[in-house]
PDB file of all heavy atoms in Angstrom:
ATOM      1  N   PRO V 128      38.173  40.012 -11.185  1.00  0.00           N
ATOM      2  CA  PRO V 128      38.324  38.557 -11.051  1.00  0.00           C
ATOM      3  C   PRO V 128      37.990  38.082  -9.635  1.00  0.00           C
ATOM      4  O   PRO V 128      38.145  38.833  -8.676  1.00  0.00           O
ATOM      5  CB  PRO V 128      39.804  38.334 -11.347  1.00  0.00           C
ATOM      6  CG  PRO V 128      40.459  39.622 -10.954  1.00  0.00           C
ATOM      7  CD  PRO V 128      39.463  40.711 -11.242  1.00  0.00           C
ATOM      8  N   GLU V 131      41.953  36.964  -6.828  1.00  0.00           N
ATOM      9  CA  GLU V 131      42.463  38.334  -6.838  1.00  0.00           C
ATOM     10  C   GLU V 131      43.861  38.359  -6.212  1.00  0.00           C
ATOM     11  O   GLU V 131      44.187  37.505  -5.384  1.00  0.00           O
ATOM     12  CB  GLU V 131      41.464  39.193  -6.044  1.00  0.00           C
ATOM     13  CG  GLU V 131      41.690  40.671  -6.082  1.00  0.00           C
ATOM     14  CD  GLU V 131      41.762  41.237  -7.483  1.00  0.00           C
ATOM     15  OE1 GLU V 131      42.824  41.045  -8.119  1.00  0.00           O
ATOM     16  OE2 GLU V 131      40.805  41.881  -7.946  1.00  0.00           O
ATOM     17  N   SER V 132      44.645  39.329  -6.599  1.00  0.00           N
ATOM     18  CA  SER V 132      45.963  39.428  -5.974  1.00  0.00           C
ATOM     19  C   SER V 132      45.812  40.053  -4.588  1.00  0.00           C
ATOM     20  O   SER V 132      44.859  40.781  -4.303  1.00  0.00           O
ATOM     21  CB  SER V 132      46.899  40.269  -6.832  1.00  0.00           C
ATOM     22  OG  SER V 132      46.629  41.640  -6.636  1.00  0.00           O
ATOM     23  N   ASP V 133      46.748  39.728  -3.743  1.00  0.00           N
ATOM     24  CA  ASP V 133      46.813  40.257  -2.393  1.00  0.00           C
ATOM     25  C   ASP V 133      46.769  41.786  -2.408  1.00  0.00           C
ATOM     26  O   ASP V 133      46.110  42.421  -1.592  1.00  0.00           O
ATOM     27  CB  ASP V 133      48.131  39.733  -1.795  1.00  0.00           C
ATOM     28  CG  ASP V 133      48.267  40.040  -0.339  1.00  0.00           C
ATOM     29  OD1 ASP V 133      47.669  39.312   0.467  1.00  0.00           O
ATOM     30  OD2 ASP V 133      48.971  41.022  -0.007  1.00  0.00           O
ATOM     31  N   TRP V 134      47.442  42.354  -3.394  1.00  0.00           N
ATOM     32  CA  TRP V 134      47.530  43.816  -3.472  1.00  0.00           C
ATOM     33  C   TRP V 134      46.150  44.448  -3.708  1.00  0.00           C
ATOM     34  O   TRP V 134      45.744  45.370  -3.020  1.00  0.00           O
ATOM     35  CB  TRP V 134      48.511  44.217  -4.578  1.00  0.00           C
ATOM     36  CG  TRP V 134      48.774  45.709  -4.577  1.00  0.00           C
ATOM     37  CD1 TRP V 134      49.657  46.381  -3.796  1.00  0.00           C
ATOM     38  CD2 TRP V 134      48.115  46.693  -5.390  1.00  0.00           C
ATOM     39  NE1 TRP V 134      49.597  47.731  -4.052  1.00  0.00           N
ATOM     40  CE2 TRP V 134      48.659  47.954  -5.027  1.00  0.00           C
ATOM     41  CE3 TRP V 134      47.116  46.648  -6.361  1.00  0.00           C
ATOM     42  CZ2 TRP V 134      48.251  49.146  -5.615  1.00  0.00           C
ATOM     43  CZ3 TRP V 134      46.708  47.841  -6.947  1.00  0.00           C
ATOM     44  CH2 TRP V 134      47.273  49.071  -6.572  1.00  0.00           C
ATOM     45  N   PHE V 135      45.411  43.933  -4.692  1.00  0.00           N
ATOM     46  CA  PHE V 135      44.086  44.505  -4.976  1.00  0.00           C
ATOM     47  C   PHE V 135      43.109  44.265  -3.831  1.00  0.00           C
ATOM     48  O   PHE V 135      42.305  45.127  -3.496  1.00  0.00           O
ATOM     49  CB  PHE V 135      43.506  43.903  -6.260  1.00  0.00           C
ATOM     50  CG  PHE V 135      43.996  44.570  -7.513  1.00  0.00           C
ATOM     51  CD1 PHE V 135      44.898  43.939  -8.350  1.00  0.00           C
ATOM     52  CD2 PHE V 135      43.539  45.834  -7.864  1.00  0.00           C
ATOM     53  CE1 PHE V 135      45.343  44.547  -9.511  1.00  0.00           C
ATOM     54  CE2 PHE V 135      43.972  46.458  -9.026  1.00  0.00           C
ATOM     55  CZ  PHE V 135      44.881  45.813  -9.858  1.00  0.00           C
ATOM     56  N   ASN V 136      43.184  43.050  -3.241  1.00  0.00           N
ATOM     57  CA  ASN V 136      42.198  42.709  -2.212  1.00  0.00           C
ATOM     58  C   ASN V 136      42.466  43.444  -0.895  1.00  0.00           C
ATOM     59  O   ASN V 136      41.548  43.737  -0.158  1.00  0.00           O
ATOM     60  CB  ASN V 136      42.183  41.198  -1.974  1.00  0.00           C
ATOM     61  CG  ASN V 136      40.934  40.744  -1.229  1.00  0.00           C
ATOM     62  OD1 ASN V 136      39.877  40.585  -1.830  1.00  0.00           O
ATOM     63  ND2 ASN V 136      41.039  40.559   0.073  1.00  0.00           N
ATOM     64  N   PHE V 137      43.752  43.721  -0.619  1.00  0.00           N
ATOM     65  CA  PHE V 137      44.100  44.323   0.682  1.00  0.00           C
ATOM     66  C   PHE V 137      44.908  45.626   0.572  1.00  0.00           C
ATOM     67  O   PHE V 137      44.399  46.691   0.915  1.00  0.00           O
ATOM     68  CB  PHE V 137      44.887  43.307   1.529  1.00  0.00           C
ATOM     69  CG  PHE V 137      44.085  42.090   1.916  1.00  0.00           C
ATOM     70  CD1 PHE V 137      44.480  40.815   1.531  1.00  0.00           C
ATOM     71  CD2 PHE V 137      42.923  42.215   2.673  1.00  0.00           C
ATOM     72  CE1 PHE V 137      43.745  39.698   1.901  1.00  0.00           C
ATOM     73  CE2 PHE V 137      42.179  41.098   3.054  1.00  0.00           C
ATOM     74  CZ  PHE V 137      42.596  39.838   2.664  1.00  0.00           C
ATOM     75  N   ASP V 138      46.160  45.536   0.094  1.00  0.00           N
ATOM     76  CA  ASP V 138      47.063  46.696   0.164  1.00  0.00           C
ATOM     77  C   ASP V 138      46.468  47.957  -0.456  1.00  0.00           C
ATOM     78  O   ASP V 138      46.482  49.027   0.148  1.00  0.00           O
ATOM     79  CB  ASP V 138      48.390  46.394  -0.544  1.00  0.00           C
ATOM     80  CG  ASP V 138      49.130  45.252   0.099  1.00  0.00           C
ATOM     81  OD1 ASP V 138      48.752  44.096  -0.177  1.00  0.00           O
ATOM     82  OD2 ASP V 138      50.059  45.508   0.896  1.00  0.00           O
ATOM     83  N   ALA V 139      45.950  47.834  -1.663  1.00  0.00           N
ATOM     84  CA  ALA V 139      45.431  49.005  -2.365  1.00  0.00           C
ATOM     85  C   ALA V 139      44.247  49.602  -1.620  1.00  0.00           C
ATOM     86  O   ALA V 139      43.930  50.778  -1.783  1.00  0.00           O
ATOM     87  CB  ALA V 139      45.027  48.631  -3.790  1.00  0.00           C
ATOM     88  N   LEU V 140      43.601  48.788  -0.788  1.00  0.00           N
ATOM     89  CA  LEU V 140      42.454  49.270  -0.023  1.00  0.00           C
ATOM     90  C   LEU V 140      42.876  49.708   1.386  1.00  0.00           C
ATOM     91  O   LEU V 140      42.066  49.779   2.289  1.00  0.00           O
ATOM     92  CB  LEU V 140      41.380  48.178   0.050  1.00  0.00           C
ATOM     93  CG  LEU V 140      40.699  47.925  -1.305  1.00  0.00           C
ATOM     94  CD1 LEU V 140      40.026  46.564  -1.324  1.00  0.00           C
ATOM     95  CD2 LEU V 140      39.688  49.028  -1.617  1.00  0.00           C
ATOM     96  N   ASN V 141      44.184  50.004   1.517  1.00  0.00           N
ATOM     97  CA  ASN V 141      44.719  50.532   2.771  1.00  0.00           C
ATOM     98  C   ASN V 141      44.645  49.508   3.906  1.00  0.00           C
ATOM     99  O   ASN V 141      44.519  49.870   5.072  1.00  0.00           O
ATOM    100  CB  ASN V 141      43.981  51.837   3.156  1.00  0.00           C
ATOM    101  CG  ASN V 141      44.693  52.614   4.241  1.00  0.00           C
ATOM    102  OD1 ASN V 141      45.921  52.561   4.323  1.00  0.00           O
ATOM    103  ND2 ASN V 141      43.930  53.313   5.063  1.00  0.00           N
ATOM    104  N   ILE V 142      44.658  48.228   3.546  1.00  0.00           N
ATOM    105  CA  ILE V 142      44.736  47.180   4.567  1.00  0.00           C
ATOM    106  C   ILE V 142      46.161  46.630   4.520  1.00  0.00           C
ATOM    107  O   ILE V 142      46.493  45.798   3.670  1.00  0.00           O
ATOM    108  CB  ILE V 142      43.719  46.043   4.301  1.00  0.00           C
ATOM    109  CG1 ILE V 142      42.307  46.629   4.087  1.00  0.00           C
ATOM    110  CG2 ILE V 142      43.719  45.049   5.462  1.00  0.00           C
ATOM    111  CD1 ILE V 142      41.264  45.593   3.713  1.00  0.00           C
ATOM    112  N   HIS V 168      47.890  34.651  -4.150  1.00  0.00           N
ATOM    113  CA  HIS V 168      46.595  35.215  -4.535  1.00  0.00           C
ATOM    114  C   HIS V 168      45.527  34.720  -3.561  1.00  0.00           C
ATOM    115  O   HIS V 168      45.739  33.729  -2.853  1.00  0.00           O
ATOM    116  CB  HIS V 168      46.235  34.790  -5.952  1.00  0.00           C
ATOM    117  CG  HIS V 168      46.899  35.627  -7.003  1.00  0.00           C
ATOM    118  ND1 HIS V 168      48.261  35.800  -7.074  1.00  0.00           N
ATOM    119  CD2 HIS V 168      46.384  36.347  -8.040  1.00  0.00           C
ATOM    120  CE1 HIS V 168      48.560  36.591  -8.093  1.00  0.00           C
ATOM    121  NE2 HIS V 168      47.435  36.938  -8.692  1.00  0.00           N
ATOM    122  N   VAL V 169      44.415  35.409  -3.547  1.00  0.00           N
ATOM    123  CA  VAL V 169      43.332  35.024  -2.634  1.00  0.00           C
ATOM    124  C   VAL V 169      42.033  34.908  -3.419  1.00  0.00           C
ATOM    125  O   VAL V 169      41.926  35.427  -4.535  1.00  0.00           O
ATOM    126  CB  VAL V 169      43.157  36.092  -1.523  1.00  0.00           C
ATOM    127  CG1 VAL V 169      44.448  36.258  -0.738  1.00  0.00           C
ATOM    128  CG2 VAL V 169      42.713  37.429  -2.109  1.00  0.00           C
ATOM    129  N   HIS V 173      35.908  40.420  -0.663  1.00  0.00           N
ATOM    130  CA  HIS V 173      34.876  41.440  -0.824  1.00  0.00           C
ATOM    131  C   HIS V 173      34.946  41.970  -2.251  1.00  0.00           C
ATOM    132  O   HIS V 173      35.868  41.637  -3.002  1.00  0.00           O
ATOM    133  CB  HIS V 173      35.019  42.576   0.203  1.00  0.00           C
ATOM    134  CG  HIS V 173      36.403  43.162   0.324  1.00  0.00           C
ATOM    135  ND1 HIS V 173      36.720  44.158   1.201  1.00  0.00           N
ATOM    136  CD2 HIS V 173      37.563  42.881  -0.349  1.00  0.00           C
ATOM    137  CE1 HIS V 173      38.003  44.470   1.091  1.00  0.00           C
ATOM    138  NE2 HIS V 173      38.532  43.710   0.149  1.00  0.00           N
ATOM    139  N   SER V 175      35.269  45.087  -2.915  1.00  0.00           N
ATOM    140  CA  SER V 175      35.987  46.374  -2.899  1.00  0.00           C
ATOM    141  C   SER V 175      37.173  46.454  -3.871  1.00  0.00           C
ATOM    142  O   SER V 175      37.440  47.536  -4.402  1.00  0.00           O
ATOM    143  CB  SER V 175      36.430  46.704  -1.476  1.00  0.00           C
ATOM    144  OG  SER V 175      35.307  46.739  -0.621  1.00  0.00           O
ATOM    145  N   PRO V 176      37.936  45.354  -4.132  1.00  0.00           N
ATOM    146  CA  PRO V 176      39.035  45.491  -5.100  1.00  0.00           C
ATOM    147  C   PRO V 176      38.573  45.953  -6.485  1.00  0.00           C
ATOM    148  O   PRO V 176      39.367  46.521  -7.239  1.00  0.00           O
ATOM    149  CB  PRO V 176      39.646  44.080  -5.165  1.00  0.00           C
ATOM    150  CG  PRO V 176      38.731  43.173  -4.428  1.00  0.00           C
ATOM    151  CD  PRO V 176      37.958  44.026  -3.472  1.00  0.00           C
ATOM    152  N   VAL V 177      37.301  45.756  -6.796  1.00  0.00           N
ATOM    153  CA  VAL V 177      36.818  46.229  -8.106  1.00  0.00           C
ATOM    154  C   VAL V 177      36.833  47.760  -8.159  1.00  0.00           C
ATOM    155  O   VAL V 177      36.987  48.349  -9.231  1.00  0.00           O
ATOM    156  CB  VAL V 177      35.417  45.651  -8.431  1.00  0.00           C
ATOM    157  CG1 VAL V 177      35.001  46.021  -9.852  1.00  0.00           C
ATOM    158  CG2 VAL V 177      35.395  44.131  -8.254  1.00  0.00           C
ATOM    159  N   GLN V 178      36.721  48.409  -6.988  1.00  0.00           N
ATOM    160  CA  GLN V 178      36.886  49.880  -6.954  1.00  0.00           C
ATOM    161  C   GLN V 178      38.226  50.260  -7.576  1.00  0.00           C
ATOM    162  O   GLN V 178      38.314  51.165  -8.406  1.00  0.00           O
ATOM    163  CB  GLN V 178      36.912  50.398  -5.509  1.00  0.00           C
ATOM    164  CG  GLN V 178      35.611  50.380  -4.755  1.00  0.00           C
ATOM    165  CD  GLN V 178      35.789  51.032  -3.387  1.00  0.00           C
ATOM    166  OE1 GLN V 178      36.590  51.957  -3.217  1.00  0.00           O
ATOM    167  NE2 GLN V 178      35.034  50.561  -2.400  1.00  0.00           N
ATOM    168  N   ILE V 179      39.283  49.572  -7.127  1.00  0.00           N
ATOM    169  CA  ILE V 179      40.635  49.899  -7.580  1.00  0.00           C
ATOM    170  C   ILE V 179      40.757  49.642  -9.084  1.00  0.00           C
ATOM    171  O   ILE V 179      41.248  50.487  -9.839  1.00  0.00           O
ATOM    172  CB  ILE V 179      41.681  49.037  -6.822  1.00  0.00           C
ATOM    173  CG1 ILE V 179      41.474  49.156  -5.309  1.00  0.00           C
ATOM    174  CG2 ILE V 179      43.096  49.437  -7.234  1.00  0.00           C
ATOM    175  CD1 ILE V 179      41.718  50.517  -4.734  1.00  0.00           C
ATOM    176  N   ARG V 180      40.277  48.472  -9.512  1.00  0.00           N
ATOM    177  CA  ARG V 180      40.388  48.128 -10.938  1.00  0.00           C
ATOM    178  C   ARG V 180      39.619  49.109 -11.810  1.00  0.00           C
ATOM    179  O   ARG V 180      40.088  49.525 -12.869  1.00  0.00           O
ATOM    180  CB  ARG V 180      39.886  46.708 -11.166  1.00  0.00           C
ATOM    181  CG  ARG V 180      40.820  45.672 -10.553  1.00  0.00           C
ATOM    182  CD  ARG V 180      40.359  44.258 -10.848  1.00  0.00           C
ATOM    183  NE  ARG V 180      41.330  43.296 -10.358  1.00  0.00           N
ATOM    184  CZ  ARG V 180      42.405  42.899 -11.033  1.00  0.00           C
ATOM    185  NH1 ARG V 180      42.632  43.393 -12.244  1.00  0.00           N
ATOM    186  NH2 ARG V 180      43.250  42.030 -10.518  1.00  0.00           N
ATOM    187  N   ALA V 181      38.433  49.493 -11.340  1.00  0.00           N
ATOM    188  CA  ALA V 181      37.611  50.413 -12.143  1.00  0.00           C
ATOM    189  C   ALA V 181      38.283  51.779 -12.253  1.00  0.00           C
ATOM    190  O   ALA V 181      38.341  52.377 -13.329  1.00  0.00           O
ATOM    191  CB  ALA V 181      36.221  50.534 -11.532  1.00  0.00           C
ATOM    192  N   GLN V 183      41.520  52.439 -11.866  1.00  0.00           N
ATOM    193  CA  GLN V 183      42.721  52.292 -12.708  1.00  0.00           C
ATOM    194  C   GLN V 183      42.325  52.307 -14.182  1.00  0.00           C
ATOM    195  O   GLN V 183      43.011  52.875 -15.026  1.00  0.00           O
ATOM    196  CB  GLN V 183      43.421  50.973 -12.404  1.00  0.00           C
ATOM    197  CG  GLN V 183      44.304  51.007 -11.176  1.00  0.00           C
ATOM    198  CD  GLN V 183      45.130  49.741 -11.035  1.00  0.00           C
ATOM    199  OE1 GLN V 183      44.837  48.740 -11.683  1.00  0.00           O
ATOM    200  NE2 GLN V 183      46.144  49.776 -10.199  1.00  0.00           N
ATOM    201  N   ALA V 297      46.266  54.951  -4.562  1.00  0.00           N
ATOM    202  CA  ALA V 297      46.693  53.615  -5.002  1.00  0.00           C
ATOM    203  C   ALA V 297      46.100  53.268  -6.362  1.00  0.00           C
ATOM    204  O   ALA V 297      46.695  52.531  -7.149  1.00  0.00           O
ATOM    205  CB  ALA V 297      46.277  52.561  -3.972  1.00  0.00           C
ATOM    206  N   ALA V 298      44.924  53.828  -6.646  1.00  0.00           N
ATOM    207  CA  ALA V 298      44.256  53.524  -7.917  1.00  0.00           C
ATOM    208  C   ALA V 298      44.629  54.539  -8.997  1.00  0.00           C
ATOM    209  O   ALA V 298      44.061  54.520 -10.091  1.00  0.00           O
ATOM    210  CB  ALA V 298      42.737  53.492  -7.723  1.00  0.00           C
TER     211      ALA V 298
END
Side-chain angles (χ1 to χ4, degrees):
E131 188 55 284
S132 79
D133 188 80
W134 187 83
F135 277 107
N136 196 81
F137 295 120
D138 298 79
L140 290 160
N141 194 31
I142 309 175
H168 279 56
V169 301
H173 49 181
S175 302
V177 186
Q178 288 185 32
I179 307 295
R180 291 183 175 275
Q183 279 188 344

